[in-house]
Amino acid sequence: AASDVYKRQAPEVIVDGATGYLVDPTSVEAITEAVSSLLDDTALRQRMGEAAVRHVLQNFGFEGFQRKLLSCLEELGSQ
């Protein structure tokens, strides 16, 4: 598991354990463990890859941007 520092740096991009692994980049042991788990498990790689694509499309694609923008505009309009 990544330290809290690394989890705070990219939580909107990587969901630790679901769309990838957040690891301490200075820890050879943590990097080795994360890479090994992916190399050893084809189904895990497939699941994480598919989850990552869905996450990016939902949160960073045009439709996700549009949804967030409309939500912000509605919130401003209700004030």
Side-chain angles (χ1 to χ4, degrees), residues 38-54:
L38 292 169
L39 289 173
D40 293 341
D41 192 337
T42 302
L44 175 64
R45 289 194 308 272
Q46 186 72 31
R47 278 193 314 273
M48 280 192 168
E50 290 170 358
V53 169
R54 282 192 308 275

Side-chain angles (χ1 to χ4, degrees), residues 6 8 17 23 39 43 48 54 58 67-68 74:
Y6 299 104
R8 286 192 306 266
V23 298
L39 289 173
M48 280 192 168
R54 282 192 308 275
Q58 290 171 354
R67 193 171 45 253
K68 288 177 186 176
E74 288 172 358

Side-chain angles (χ1 to χ4, degrees), residues 42-78:
T42 302
L44 175 64
R45 289 194 308 272
Q46 186 72 31
R47 278 193 314 273
M48 280 192 168
E50 290 170 358
V53 169
R54 282 192 308 275
H55 180 72
V56 167
L57 291 175
Q58 290 171 354
N59 293 284
F60 304 104
F62 179 75
E63 290 176 3
F65 167 77
Q66 184 180 33
R67 193 171 45 253
K68 288 177 186 176
L69 177 61
L70 290 174
S71 175
C72 288
L73 293 174
E74 288 172 358
E75 187 177 316
L76 287 173
S78 68

Side-chain angles (χ1 to χ4, degrees), residues 15-16 24 28 31 45 49-50 55 66:
V15 179
D16 192 27
D24 178 346
V28 172
I31 295 168
R45 289 194 308 272
E50 290 170 358
H55 180 72
Q66 184 180 33

